[in-house]
Amino acid sequence: MKNVPADMEGFLSHQPWWRTRVPTEIIRSREGVGELLRRLERENRNPFFVVDSVLLNQPVFASLLGQKALYLFDASASEPKTGDVDTVVSMVKSASKAHDVVVGIGGGATMDLAKAVGICLANPGPAQTYQGYGLDMKKGADIWVLPTLSGTGAEITPIAVLRGPEKKLGINNPYTAPSVAVIDPGLTSGVRKYNRFFTLMDCYFHHYEIVNSRTSSEDAVSDARDGLSLSRNILMSGVGEFRMDNAVRSAMASILGGSSTIGGRVGAAHAVSYGLSNSGPALPHSVAVTISMLALRELYPEGYEDTVSFLRGNGMEVPKAGDFGIGAKDVEKMTKTALGMEKLWQSCFGDRWKERATEEYIREIYERIVSL
């Protein structure tokens, strides 16, 4: 990728760097909180805010946290559950004046919760009934987002990943995509190293798998190649301290992660990660994919080598499934979950994926993971 900006001025003036057509209006800003609130007021909107509770102690978000119509979500405890969606939907519906926009402020988990709430407001069933692809759903409230963590791509994707009673699976629907995303790289300055590192790892994995996909569009692969270069360079440079050049590039890589996901699809590492996540409620998605990639050396040799290098270069311990209570007792359940990720196995292996992604093959992957 040529002429990559290294500061805020360059970021604001840079031409759109994504090729895939995205459904979201992307607003680049040096004052994201103020820009968001001014636009809501200018358009006379009645917003409901879904905010990551980790932002409570950061003064830059004080004006948002003072809003009356607000739900604080503890994204550090778990990814959003279908029950969380139902709770917030009930809160929004009980308001005396209808809220016409749901605003998600935080990382991917918080944005996904806001996205799910937005669409479920117009659909009568509990959120768990809408997990999946191709379901007939009505458009709900508009969805706006303000990312405070770069790398998830959730700011522009039409997917809201949720943990349900039976499975971890997204609401995949065009109406789940945010209509507005305000991008201010400076808002990521308060992110701790652990989150910054593993979110960038997930960004890298998205791009790596889409580049290697058998089913992704040409534009998606081109976006993923640029995103792969950006995320690899950031991870190689070290993410311990906040740096504006890395913050700008991370924001760019995150948008590419979203655009490439719209026209492309991830593969085996994400399929395996879903099984891990279902068995470890406290296991962050980004860490689950890292564990998965470390078990797929033969399938993804470059991804494996990069993962080892990134962990070592950033002084991070190698994550293990056992750290999150996942063991041999979970292998059968995880195998069943991963077998159901058919689209991801097809992305990885092509039309004859069933010959490769057998029950025995997947079980052996999990047995290696829990043996470490």
Side-chain angles (χ1 to χ4, degrees):
M1 190 173 181
K2 298 179 180 179
N3 302 318
V4 178
D7 55 25
M8 185 64 79
E9 290 298 332
F11 175 72
L12 296 175
S13 61
H14 201 63
Q15 292 297 313
W17 55 91
W18 56 94
R19 301 167 184 81
T20 307
R21 185 176 179 181
V22 302
T24 305
E25 179 187 356
I26 299 172
I27 301 171
R28 287 172 272 170
S29 175
R30 68 167 70 252
E31 191 189 346
V33 173
E35 182 117 23
L36 171 68
L37 292 175
R38 286 193 296 273
R39 176 153 179 168
L40 288 167
E41 183 177 3
R42 186 168 65 247
E43 296 188 8
N44 196 28
R45 308 301 293 266
N46 184 32
F48 186 95
F49 296 89
V50 178
V51 183
D52 190 336
S53 61
V54 76
L55 305 178
L56 276 172
N57 297 320
Q58 298 185 38
V60 67
F61 299 104
S63 55
L64 289 170
L65 293 163
Q67 302 293 319
K68 293 181 179 179
L70 179 142
Y71 178 81
L72 285 175
F73 175 61
D74 185 1
S76 64
S78 172
E79 293 166 321
K81 302 182 181 70
T82 53
D84 296 325
V85 179
D86 297 336
T87 296
V88 183
V89 166
S90 178
M91 290 176 63
V92 177
K93 286 184 174 180
S94 67
S96 57
K97 181 182 177 182
H99 293 284
D100 57 358
V101 56
V102 178
V103 184
I105 301 161
T110 305
M111 288 187 281
D112 279 354
L113 176 56
K115 290 157 68 174
V117 169
I119 191 171
C120 285
L121 282 169
N123 295 276
Q128 70 181 83
T129 61
Y130 302 117
Q131 289 179 284
Y133 296 83
L135 299 177
D136 185 21
M137 299 183 72
K138 297 178 181 178
K139 183 185 183 306
D142 284 348
I143 301 159
W144 292 17
V145 294
L146 178 69
T148 63
L149 180 62
S150 292
T152 71
E155 58 267 31
I156 61 174
T157 57
I159 307 166
V161 180
L162 304 172
R163 292 182 183 272
E166 299 177 359
K167 56 193 173 184
K168 174 183 172 181
L169 188 62
I171 297 177
N172 296 266
N173 189 285
Y175 295 139
T176 315
S179 54
V180 174
V182 180
I183 311 297
D184 177 356
L187 294 180
T188 65
S189 62
V191 176
R192 65 189 183 109
K193 177 183 177 180
Y194 183 92
N195 297 89
R196 184 181 294 119
F197 174 78
F198 279 107
T199 303
L200 257 296
M201 289 292 284
D202 187 35
C203 186
Y204 166 86
F205 296 137
H206 271 94
H207 295 307
Y208 179 84
E209 290 195 283
I210 291 173
V211 165
N212 287 279
S213 169
R214 305 280 187 92
T215 62
S216 297
S217 71
E218 184 177 339
D219 281 348
V221 172
S222 295
D223 281 354
R225 288 190 191 282
D226 285 345
L228 185 64
S229 176
L230 284 169
S231 55
R232 178 183 277 134
N233 289 340
I234 297 163
L235 286 161
M236 288 178 64
S237 73
V239 298
E241 301 293 332
F242 175 81
R243 288 170 35 188
M244 184 55 77
D245 60 338
N246 274 348
V248 164
R249 291 162 180 167
S250 295
M252 295 176 67
S254 185
I255 290 173
L256 289 168
S259 66
S260 61
T261 299
I262 290 171
R265 187 166 286 131
V266 291
H270 275 78
V272 173
S273 80
Y274 274 83
L276 289 166
S277 294
N278 269 355
S279 294
L283 174 61
H285 167 74
S286 55
V287 180
V289 187
T290 303
I291 293 171
S292 301
M293 184 61 76
L294 289 170
L296 296 170
R297 184 174 188 172
E298 293 184 1
L299 182 60
Y300 293 140
E302 292 181 359
Y304 170 86
E305 296 294 340
D306 274 349
T307 300
V308 171
S309 177
F310 297 152
L311 287 164
R312 184 183 300 118
N314 285 276
M316 305 296 290
E317 292 186 10
V318 176
K320 297 179 181 179
D323 298 338
F324 300 90
I326 301 171
K329 68 183 187 307
D330 302 299
V331 167
E332 291 305 318
K333 176 185 176 181
M334 294 190 293
T335 301
K336 181 179 179 181
T337 299
L339 274 170
M341 301 290 110
E342 297 184 357
K343 292 181 181 294
L344 306 191
W345 293 115
Q346 184 182 25
S347 173
C348 178
F349 293 125
D351 291 337
R352 302 180 69 176
W353 63 270
K354 290 183 179 180
E355 298 176 10
R356 299 285 304 276
T358 64
E359 184 175 346
E360 180 181 9
Y361 173 78
I362 295 171
R363 183 182 293 108
E364 288 178 353
I365 293 172
Y366 286 121
E367 287 174 347
R368 287 200 303 273
I369 288 174
V370 301
S371 68
L372 298 175

